[in-house]
Amino acid sequence: MAGIEKLSDKAIQATFKAVAAAGKAKTIGDGGGLVLEVQPSGAGWWRLRYSFGGKENRLSVGTYPEVTLANARQRRRDALVLIAAGTDPSDKRKADKEAQAMKAETARLADAGLPGPGTFEFVARDWLKTVHEVKVSAGHAERTRIRLEQDAFPWIGRRPIGEIEPPELLQCLRRVEARGAIETAHRVKDACGQVFRFGIATGDCQRNPAADLRDALKPVQSTHHAAITDPKQVGKLLRDMNEYEGQPVTRAALQLSALSLLRPGELRHMEWAWIDLEAAVLTVPAETMKRNKADKADGPPHIVPLATQAVEVLNGLQPLTGHGRYVFPALTTSQRCMSENTVRSALRRMGYGNDDMTAHGFRATARTLIAERLNVRPEVIEAQLAHAVPDALGRAYNRTQFIDQRRQMMQAWADYLDQLRTGAKVIEFRAA
């Protein structure tokens, strides 16, 4: 290139001697923007003057003699290549320094057993704290954290999140599959996908490798809670429940499982303060329901009309547990609610295995028979089951509660169960 490489080592040495003698700094140029600033102290700094984006800039390219004339010229050529490619050399140097600093900090934290900035674990914990824990319930967030800690962090936690490719993530998930936890593998993949999407937003990575694994894992074999739906078998189950010889509180829990259509967790946590026996209504607070965090905080409570048979069961329970907080307290202390295994264990004692009937199966039994035998409209049943269903009118979810219709349905359902239990002739009801 014309007009460059004007200097020589001999000329540089002569300039240093002249500057030392005169005691005054001097700048000499090699052309192409490369200059050497010579100081009377004997120090010299290479600078590159260049134009980028219409602005004049300066870049330090080292000190002389540590950086020789040949080295300085090579650095000028490297800078010109960057400029031609549309990159500011100063920005490139700053980014390189930040990357080196991050790498050093990552290594330091790794030596201390901690995730470094930019690693998968670091970004994942940031996502858990700033996004996931805000959106979901505490239990949901805790389960996600445990899955990541057990099945992701040990393998990819210390890896820079931007360097993780689909095969590496898949290998991590295959370890979960290998122990037979197919559904867990899918849940870990989903959580990792959310972490990568968060990392893209924060600038820690450029892509989401989990999205490329959509069809790479074994499919989850969907299973449903075992439930009895044959009317005659339901009648036998109801008779077995009435004859249950265990704790009377457990017998009542079995009976209300059938009469209330509550989820097992909602039934176990039921409090006497939620119940108005005179009005025959149970009001389940929003925070107890199976909802997202926002709906738990601001959503309406779930209203459960109580049939006369359900009120009768609760009246019988009051002398036993009415002095405490919970309708169904634990057998060992009234400070906690009944164990989640209590109803299931009672079913097992009566001879109903996991493949026959479950605590959650009472809801499926009711959902099936109310629709088939009582001819109740599906939206009324779904409202009683506290399911959020799509709204045909275009709103996100249908929040209509159908209180009057559900009160009729719950009484009809309780009467129908009485008929099944006593073995009376079963007739179909008109639509409620």
Side-chain angles (χ1 to χ4, degrees):
M1 181 183 293
I4 65 171
E5 299 191 0
K6 299 177 180 179
L7 295 176
S8 66
D9 288 322
K10 184 177 181 179
I12 292 174
Q13 293 299 329
T15 300
F16 269 95
K17 290 180 181 180
V19 167
K24 185 177 180 181
K26 183 178 181 180
T27 299
I28 55 178
D30 188 51
L34 180 64
V35 299
L36 178 63
E37 298 174 354
V38 182
Q39 301 293 328
S41 63
W45 283 274
W46 291 108
R47 311 284 188 191
L48 178 63
R49 297 169 180 169
Y50 66 97
S51 177
F52 188 86
K55 296 182 179 180
E56 296 296 325
N57 296 313
R58 282 168 34 115
L59 180 70
S60 173
V61 292
T63 60
Y64 183 88
E66 287 79 9
V67 176
T68 66
L69 175 59
N71 293 147
R73 287 171 174 170
Q74 181 59 51
R75 294 183 182 185
R76 175 181 56 197
R77 288 191 288 270
D78 294 341
L80 292 176
V81 170
L82 290 173
I83 293 171
T87 300
D88 189 332
S90 295
D91 291 343
K92 175 67 164 54
R93 173 173 292 181
K94 181 179 179 182
D96 289 344
K97 286 184 177 180
E98 290 177 350
Q100 291 176 356
M102 179 174 288
K103 186 175 182 179
E105 177 65 5
T106 298
R108 183 189 69 80
L109 292 171
D111 291 340
L114 300 172
T119 61
F120 179 84
E121 182 175 347
F122 186 91
V123 176
R125 291 195 182 279
D126 190 13
W127 168 75
L128 283 167
K129 181 178 180 180
T130 61
V131 176
H132 197 53
E133 292 178 2
V134 176
K135 292 174 61 177
V136 304
S137 67
H140 185 171
E142 179 69 4
R143 288 190 294 274
T144 303
R145 180 188 63 78
I146 291 174
R147 289 190 191 105
L148 289 171
E149 288 181 345
Q150 292 181 344
D151 297 318
F153 293 167
W155 317 110
I156 60 174
R158 297 298 193 268
R159 294 273 289 122
I161 189 172
E163 297 180 8
I164 298 173
E165 294 293 329
E168 184 176 5
L169 178 59
L170 179 60
Q171 184 180 16
C172 175
L173 298 173
R174 289 283 191 230
R175 293 186 177 92
V176 185
E177 273 190 338
R179 67 173 191 260
I182 308 302
E183 183 175 355
T184 299
H186 281 267
R187 292 185 183 276
V188 173
K189 179 182 76 68
D190 292 344
C192 289
Q194 293 182 67
V195 172
F196 283 113
R197 290 198 296 272
F198 178 74
I200 293 172
T202 59
D204 289 291
C205 61
Q206 299 298 317
R207 59 189 299 271
N208 174 14
D212 297 326
L213 304 181
R214 182 176 59 181
D215 299 319
L217 296 176
K218 296 177 181 178
V220 177
Q221 300 298 324
S222 60
T223 58
H224 300 284
H225 298 286
I228 296 174
T229 56
D230 177 78
K232 290 184 179 180
Q233 294 181 17
V234 172
K236 180 180 183 306
L237 171 63
L238 294 170
R239 290 189 291 274
D240 290 341
M241 286 162 48
N242 272 14
E243 297 170 4
Y244 178 71
E245 297 181 351
Q247 294 288 336
V249 174
T250 304
R251 183 190 306 113
L254 287 164
Q255 293 168 331
L256 283 179
S257 294
L259 290 168
S260 69
L261 278 62
L262 290 172
R263 295 181 177 88
E266 296 159 2
L267 182 80
R268 292 190 302 110
H269 288 90
M270 188 191 302
E271 299 181 18
W272 283 108
W274 303 353
I275 301 171
D276 185 339
L277 290 175
E278 289 188 10
V281 66
L282 165 67
T283 304
V284 184
E287 62 268 20
T288 306
M289 300 298 296
K290 183 182 178 182
R291 298 174 177 174
N292 61 39
K293 195 168 186 177
D295 283 344
K296 282 179 177 285
D298 302 322
H302 179 49
I303 307 300
V304 181
L306 298 173
T308 55
Q309 292 90 330
V311 172
E312 182 180 350
V313 172
L314 289 167
N315 278 325
L317 266 180
Q318 255 194 334
L320 299 176
T321 67
H323 57 280
R325 173 183 176 184
Y326 295 107
V327 177
F328 301 107
L331 296 178
T332 55
T333 173
S334 62
Q335 303 304 309
R336 295 196 307 271
C337 69
M338 174 183 286
S339 164
E340 61 181 345
N341 292 320
T342 303
V343 171
R344 182 175 62 179
S345 297
L347 288 169
R348 300 296 86 77
R349 289 183 61 183
M350 292 187 297
Y352 296 91
N354 281 327
D355 296 332
D356 302 319
M357 187 64 182
T358 62
H360 206 285
F362 283 104
R363 287 165 57 86
T365 298
R367 176 67 181 84
T368 301
L369 293 182
I370 291 176
E372 292 182 355
R373 302 299 172 132
L374 304 187
N375 300 319
V376 176
R377 288 156 46 200
E379 58 268 30
V380 177
I381 306 174
E382 295 303 310
Q384 184 58 49
L385 294 170
H387 287 165
V389 296
D391 192 332
L393 298 179
R395 294 185 294 273
Y397 290 102
N398 192 329
R399 302 294 184 184
T400 307
Q401 295 199 13
F402 300 106
I403 295 296
D404 292 338
Q405 296 93 326
R406 288 197 288 125
R407 183 173 295 281
Q408 296 174 29
M409 180 191 76
M410 294 300 284
Q411 187 59 58
W413 171 241
D415 294 341
Y416 178 70
L417 291 181
D418 281 347
Q419 292 177 13
L420 294 181
R421 178 175 51 81
T422 59
K425 180 180 179 181
V426 177
I427 59 174
E428 295 186 3
F429 287 75
R430 294 182 178 273

